[in-house]
Coordinates of all heavy atoms in Angstrom, one line a residue:
M595 N 0.8 -1.2 0.0 CA 0.0 0.0 0.0 C 0.9 1.3 0.0 O 1.9 1.3 0.7 CB -0.9 0.0 1.2 CG -1.8 1.2 1.3 SD -2.8 1.1 2.8 CE -3.4 2.8 2.8
T596 N 0.5 2.2 -0.8 CA 1.3 3.4 -0.9 C 0.5 4.6 -0.2 O -0.7 4.6 -0.1 CB 1.5 3.8 -2.3 OG1 1.8 5.2 -2.4 CG2 0.4 3.5 -3.2
Y597 N 1.3 5.5 0.4 CA 0.7 6.6 1.1 C 1.0 7.9 0.5 O 0.9 8.9 1.1 CB 1.1 6.5 2.6 CG 2.5 6.5 2.9 CD1 3.3 7.6 3.0 CD2 3.2 5.2 2.9 CE1 4.6 7.6 3.3 CE2 4.6 5.2 3.1 CZ 5.3 6.4 3.3 OH 6.6 6.3 3.5
D598 N 1.4 7.8 -0.8 CA 1.7 9.1 -1.5 C 0.6 10.1 -1.5 O 0.8 11.3 -1.4 CB 2.1 8.7 -2.9 CG 3.4 8.0 -3.0 OD1 4.1 8.0 -2.0 OD2 3.7 7.4 -4.1
R599 N -0.6 9.6 -1.7 CA -1.7 10.5 -1.9 C -2.6 10.6 -0.6 O -3.7 11.2 -0.7 CB -2.5 10.1 -3.1 CG -1.9 10.7 -4.4 CD -2.5 10.0 -5.6 NE -2.1 8.6 -5.6 CZ -2.4 7.7 -6.5 NH1 -3.1 8.1 -7.6 NH2 -2.0 6.5 -6.5
L600 N -2.2 10.0 0.4 CA -2.9 10.0 1.7 C -2.9 11.4 2.3 O -1.8 12.0 2.5 CB -2.4 9.0 2.6 CG -3.3 8.4 3.7 CD1 -4.4 7.5 3.0 CD2 -2.5 7.6 4.7
V601 N -4.1 11.9 2.6 CA -4.1 13.3 3.2 C -4.4 13.1 4.7 O -5.2 12.4 5.1 CB -5.2 14.1 2.5 CG1 -5.4 15.4 3.3 CG2 -4.8 14.4 1.1
C602 N -3.6 13.9 5.5 CA -3.7 13.8 6.9 C -5.0 14.5 7.4 O -5.4 15.5 6.9 CB -2.5 14.6 7.5 SG -2.6 14.7 9.3
A603 N -5.7 13.8 8.4 CA -6.9 14.4 8.9 C -6.7 15.5 9.9 O -7.5 16.3 10.2 CB -7.7 13.3 9.6
N604 N -5.5 15.6 10.3 CA -5.1 16.6 11.3 C -4.7 17.9 10.7 O -5.1 19.0 11.1 CB -4.0 16.0 12.2 CG -3.7 16.9 13.4 OD1 -4.7 17.3 14.1 ND2 -2.5 17.2 13.7
C605 N -3.8 17.9 9.7 CA -3.3 19.1 9.1 C -3.7 19.3 7.6 O -3.3 20.3 7.1 CB -1.8 19.1 9.3 SG -0.9 17.9 8.3
A606 N -4.4 18.3 7.1 CA -4.9 18.4 5.7 C -3.8 18.5 4.7 O -4.0 18.9 3.5 CB -5.9 19.5 5.6
A607 N -2.6 18.1 5.0 CA -1.5 18.1 4.1 C -1.2 16.6 3.8 O -1.6 15.7 4.5 CB -0.2 18.8 4.6
P608 N -0.5 16.3 2.6 CA -0.1 14.9 2.3 C 0.7 14.4 3.5 O 1.6 15.0 3.9 CB 0.7 15.1 1.0 CG 0.3 16.3 0.4 CD -0.1 17.3 1.6
V609 N 0.3 13.1 3.8 CA 1.0 12.5 5.0 C 2.5 12.3 4.7 O 3.3 12.5 5.6 CB 0.4 11.1 5.2 CG1 1.2 10.3 6.1 CG2 -1.0 11.3 5.9
N610 N 2.9 12.1 3.4 CA 4.3 11.9 3.2 C 5.2 13.1 3.3 O 6.4 13.0 3.3 CB 4.5 11.2 1.8 CG 4.1 12.1 0.7 OD1 3.5 13.2 0.9 ND2 4.4 11.7 -0.5
E611 N 4.5 14.3 3.5 CA 5.3 15.5 3.8 C 5.7 15.5 5.3 O 6.6 16.3 5.7 CB 4.5 16.7 3.4 CG 4.5 16.9 1.9 CD 3.8 18.2 1.5 OE1 3.6 19.1 2.4 OE2 3.4 18.3 0.4
G612 N 5.0 14.8 6.1 CA 5.3 14.7 7.5 C 5.2 16.0 8.3 O 6.1 16.4 9.1
R613 N 4.2 16.8 8.0 CA 4.1 18.2 8.6 C 3.8 18.2 10.0 O 4.2 19.1 10.7 CB 3.1 19.0 7.8 CG 3.6 19.4 6.4 CD 2.7 20.5 5.9 NE 3.0 20.7 4.5 CZ 2.3 21.6 3.7 NH1 1.3 22.2 4.2 NH2 2.7 21.7 2.5
C614 N 3.0 17.2 10.5 CA 2.6 17.3 11.9 C 2.9 15.9 12.6 O 3.3 15.0 11.9 CB 1.2 17.6 12.1 SG 0.0 16.3 11.6
R615 N 2.7 15.9 13.8 CA 3.0 14.7 14.6 C 2.1 13.5 14.1 O 2.6 12.4 14.0 CB 2.6 15.0 16.1 CG 3.2 14.0 17.1 CD 3.0 14.6 18.5 NE 1.6 15.0 18.7 CZ 0.7 14.1 19.1 NH1 1.0 12.9 19.4 NH2 -0.6 14.5 19.3
V616 N 0.9 13.7 13.7 CA 0.0 12.7 13.2 C 0.6 12.1 11.9 O 0.6 10.9 11.7 CB -1.4 13.2 13.0 CG1 -2.3 12.1 12.4 CG2 -2.0 13.6 14.4
C617 N 1.0 13.0 11.0 CA 1.5 12.6 9.7 C 2.7 11.6 10.0 O 2.8 10.6 9.3 CB 2.0 13.8 8.9 SG 0.7 14.8 8.3
R618 N 3.6 12.1 10.8 CA 4.8 11.3 11.1 C 4.5 9.9 11.7 O 5.1 8.9 11.3 CB 5.8 12.1 11.9 CG 6.5 13.2 11.1 CD 7.6 13.8 11.9 NE 7.2 14.6 13.0 CZ 6.9 15.9 12.9 NH1 7.0 16.5 11.8 NH2 6.5 16.5 14.0
A619 N 3.5 9.9 12.6 CA 3.1 8.7 13.2 C 2.5 7.7 12.2 O 2.9 6.5 12.2 CB 2.1 8.9 14.3
V620 N 1.7 8.2 11.3 CA 1.1 7.4 10.3 C 2.1 6.8 9.3 O 2.1 5.7 9.0 CB 0.0 8.2 9.5 CG1 -0.4 7.4 8.2 CG2 -1.2 8.5 10.4
R621 N 3.0 7.7 8.9 CA 4.1 7.3 8.0 C 5.0 6.2 8.6 O 5.3 5.2 8.0 CB 5.0 8.5 7.7 CG 5.7 8.4 6.4 CD 6.3 9.7 6.0 NE 7.1 10.3 7.0 CZ 7.9 11.3 6.9 NH1 8.0 11.9 5.7 NH2 8.6 11.8 7.9
Q622 N 5.3 6.4 9.9 CA 6.1 5.4 10.6 C 5.4 4.1 10.7 O 6.0 3.0 10.4 CB 6.4 5.9 12.0 CG 7.9 5.9 12.4 CD 8.1 6.6 13.6 OE1 7.3 6.5 14.6 NE2 9.2 7.4 13.7
Q623 N 4.1 4.1 11.0 CA 3.3 2.9 11.1 C 3.3 2.2 9.8 O 3.5 1.0 9.8 CB 1.9 3.3 11.5 CG 0.9 2.2 11.4 CD 0.7 1.5 12.7 OE1 0.8 2.0 13.8 NE2 0.3 0.2 12.6
M624 N 3.1 2.9 8.7 CA 3.0 2.3 7.4 C 4.4 1.6 7.0 O 4.4 0.6 6.4 CB 2.6 3.3 6.4 CG 1.1 3.6 6.6 SD 0.5 4.6 5.3 CE -1.3 4.3 5.5
E625 N 5.5 2.3 7.4 CA 6.8 1.8 7.1 C 7.0 0.5 7.8 O 7.6 -0.5 7.3 CB 7.9 2.8 7.3 CG 8.0 3.8 6.2 CD 8.8 5.0 6.6 OE1 9.4 5.1 7.6 OE2 8.8 5.9 5.7
R626 N 6.6 0.5 9.1 CA 6.7 -0.7 9.9 C 5.9 -1.9 9.3 O 6.4 -3.0 9.2 CB 6.1 -0.4 11.3 CG 7.2 -0.5 12.4 CD 6.7 -0.7 13.8 NE 5.5 0.0 14.1 CZ 5.5 1.3 14.6 NH1 6.6 1.8 14.8 NH2 4.4 1.9 14.8
E627 N 4.7 -1.6 8.9 CA 3.8 -2.6 8.3 C 4.4 -3.2 7.0 O 4.4 -4.4 6.8 CB 2.4 -2.1 8.0 CG 1.6 -2.0 9.3 CD 0.2 -1.3 9.1 OE1 -0.1 -1.0 8.0 OE2 -0.4 -1.1 10.1
R628 N 5.0 -2.3 6.2 CA 5.6 -2.8 5.0 C 6.8 -3.7 5.3 O 7.0 -4.6 4.6 CB 6.0 -1.5 4.2 CG 6.3 -1.8 2.7 CD 6.9 -0.6 2.0 NE 8.0 -0.1 2.8 CZ 8.4 1.2 2.8 NH1 7.8 2.0 2.0 NH2 9.4 1.6 3.5
D629 N 7.5 -3.3 6.3 CA 8.7 -4.1 6.6 C 8.3 -5.5 7.1 O 9.1 -6.4 7.0 CB 9.5 -3.4 7.7 CG 10.2 -2.2 7.1 OD1 10.3 -2.1 5.9 OD2 10.7 -1.3 7.9
Q630 N 7.2 -5.6 7.7 CA 6.8 -6.9 8.3 C 6.3 -7.9 7.3 O 6.1 -9.1 7.6 CB 5.7 -6.6 9.4 CG 6.3 -6.1 10.7 CD 5.3 -5.6 11.7 OE1 4.1 -5.6 11.4 NE2 5.7 -5.3 12.9
G631 N 6.0 -7.5 6.1 CA 5.6 -8.4 5.1 C 4.1 -8.6 5.0 O 3.3 -8.0 5.8
P632 N 3.7 -9.5 4.1 CA 2.2 -9.7 3.8 C 1.4 -10.3 4.9 O 0.2 -10.2 4.9 CB 2.2 -10.6 2.6 CG 3.5 -11.3 2.6 CD 4.5 -10.4 3.3
F633 N 2.0 -11.0 5.9 CA 1.3 -11.7 6.9 C 1.1 -10.8 8.2 O 0.4 -11.2 9.1 CB 2.0 -13.0 7.3 CG 2.0 -13.9 6.1 CD1 3.2 -14.2 5.5 CD2 0.8 -14.5 5.7 CE1 3.2 -15.1 4.4 CE2 0.8 -15.4 4.6 CZ 2.0 -15.7 4.0
S634 N 1.6 -9.6 8.2 CA 1.5 -8.8 9.4 C 0.1 -8.3 9.6 O -0.3 -8.0 10.7 CB 2.4 -7.6 9.3 OG 2.0 -6.8 8.2
G635 N -0.7 -8.3 8.5 CA -2.1 -7.8 8.6 C -3.0 -8.8 9.2 O -4.1 -8.5 9.7
L636 N -2.6 -10.1 9.2 CA -3.5 -11.1 9.8 C -3.3 -11.1 11.3 O -2.3 -11.1 11.8 CB -3.0 -12.5 9.3 CG -3.2 -12.7 7.8 CD1 -2.6 -14.0 7.4 CD2 -4.7 -12.8 7.5
N637 N -4.5 -11.3 12.0 CA -4.4 -11.3 13.4 C -4.1 -12.8 13.8 O -4.4 -13.7 13.1 CB -5.6 -10.8 14.1 CG -6.9 -11.5 13.7 OD1 -6.9 -12.8 13.9 ND2 -7.9 -10.9 13.3
P638 N -3.6 -13.0 15.1 CA -3.2 -14.3 15.5 C -4.3 -15.3 15.5 O -4.1 -16.5 15.1 CB -2.7 -14.1 16.9 CG -2.3 -12.7 17.0 CD -3.2 -11.9 16.0
A639 N -5.5 -14.9 15.8 CA -6.7 -15.9 15.8 C -6.9 -16.4 14.4 O -7.2 -17.6 14.2 CB -7.9 -15.2 16.4
M640 N -6.8 -15.5 13.4 CA -7.0 -15.9 12.0 C -5.9 -16.9 11.6 O -6.2 -17.9 10.9 CB -6.9 -14.6 11.2 CG -7.2 -14.9 9.7 SD -8.9 -14.8 9.4 CE -9.0 -13.2 8.6
L641 N -4.7 -16.7 12.1 CA -3.6 -17.6 11.7 C -3.8 -19.0 12.3 O -3.6 -20.0 11.7 CB -2.3 -17.0 12.2 CG -1.7 -15.9 11.4 CD1 -0.4 -15.4 12.0 CD2 -1.3 -16.4 10.0
I642 N -4.3 -19.0 13.6 CA -4.6 -20.3 14.2 C -5.7 -21.0 13.5 O -5.6 -22.2 13.3 CB -4.9 -20.0 15.7 CG1 -3.7 -19.6 16.5 CG2 -5.5 -21.3 16.3 CD1 -3.9 -19.0 17.8
A643 N -6.8 -20.3 13.1 CA -7.9 -20.9 12.4 C -7.4 -21.5 11.1 O -7.8 -22.6 10.7 CB -9.0 -19.8 12.1
L644 N -6.5 -20.8 10.4 CA -6.0 -21.3 9.1 C -5.2 -22.5 9.3 O -5.2 -23.5 8.6 CB -5.1 -20.2 8.5 CG -5.9 -19.1 7.7 CD1 -4.9 -18.0 7.3 CD2 -6.6 -19.6 6.5
M645 N -4.4 -22.5 10.4 CA -3.6 -23.7 10.7 C -4.4 -24.9 11.0 O -4.2 -26.0 10.5 CB -2.8 -23.3 12.0 CG -1.5 -24.1 12.1 SD -0.2 -23.2 11.3 CE 0.5 -22.3 12.7
V646 N -5.5 -24.7 11.8 CA -6.4 -25.8 12.1 C -7.0 -26.4 10.8 O -7.1 -27.6 10.6 CB -7.5 -25.3 13.1 CG1 -8.6 -26.4 13.2 CG2 -6.9 -25.0 14.4
L647 N -7.5 -25.5 9.9 CA -8.0 -25.9 8.7 C -7.0 -26.7 7.9 O -7.4 -27.7 7.3 CB -8.5 -24.7 7.9 CG -9.9 -24.2 8.1 CD1 -10.1 -22.9 7.3 CD2 -10.9 -25.2 7.7
L648 N -5.8 -26.3 7.9 CA -4.8 -26.9 7.1 C -4.5 -28.4 7.6 O -4.4 -29.3 6.9 CB -3.5 -26.1 7.2 CG -2.4 -26.4 6.1 CD1 -2.9 -25.9 4.8 CD2 -1.1 -25.7 6.5
V649 N -4.5 -28.4 9.0 CA -4.2 -29.8 9.6 C -5.4 -30.7 9.3 O -5.3 -31.9 9.0 CB -4.0 -29.6 11.1 CG1 -4.1 -30.9 11.9 CG2 -2.7 -28.9 11.4
A650 N -6.6 -30.1 9.4 CA -7.8 -30.9 9.1 C -7.8 -31.5 7.7 O -8.1 -32.6 7.4 CB -9.1 -30.1 9.4
A651 N -7.4 -30.6 6.8 CA -7.4 -31.0 5.4 C -6.3 -32.1 5.2 O -6.6 -33.1 4.4 CB -7.0 -29.8 4.5
L652 N -5.2 -32.0 5.8 CA -4.1 -33.0 5.7 C -4.6 -34.3 6.3 O -4.4 -35.4 5.8 CB -2.9 -32.5 6.4 CG -2.0 -31.5 5.7 CD1 -0.9 -31.0 6.6 CD2 -1.5 -32.1 4.4
A653 N -5.3 -34.2 7.4 CA -5.9 -35.4 8.1 C -6.9 -36.1 7.2 O -6.9 -37.4 7.1 CB -6.5 -35.0 9.4
L654 N -7.6 -35.4 6.5 CA -8.6 -36.0 5.6 C -7.9 -36.7 4.4 O -8.4 -37.7 3.9 CB -9.6 -34.9 5.0 CG -10.7 -34.4 6.0 CD1 -11.4 -33.2 5.4 CD2 -11.7 -35.6 6.3
L655 N -6.8 -36.1 3.9 CA -6.1 -36.6 2.8 C -5.3 -37.9 3.2 O -5.2 -38.8 2.4 CB -5.1 -35.6 2.3 CG -5.7 -34.5 1.4 CD1 -4.7 -33.4 1.1 CD2 -6.3 -35.0 0.2
A656 N -4.9 -38.0 4.4 CA -4.0 -39.1 4.8 C -4.8 -40.4 5.0 O -6.0 -40.4 5.2 CB -3.4 -38.7 6.2
Ligands
LIG2006 ZN1 -0.7 16.0 9.5

């Protein structure tokens, strides 16, 4: 996800300009999320549910 055109709700300037504290916080958060990879958006409960489904499917196949 890109934040090039994201406008800050606090200062109404583009977030990537980092004009206010909120902009910088949002920018930092997005950089963190990007660094963590595609699975960072999934919550742990979702991951566990997926794991259980996978194991069930393997058990059925075996
Ligand atoms: Zn701002």
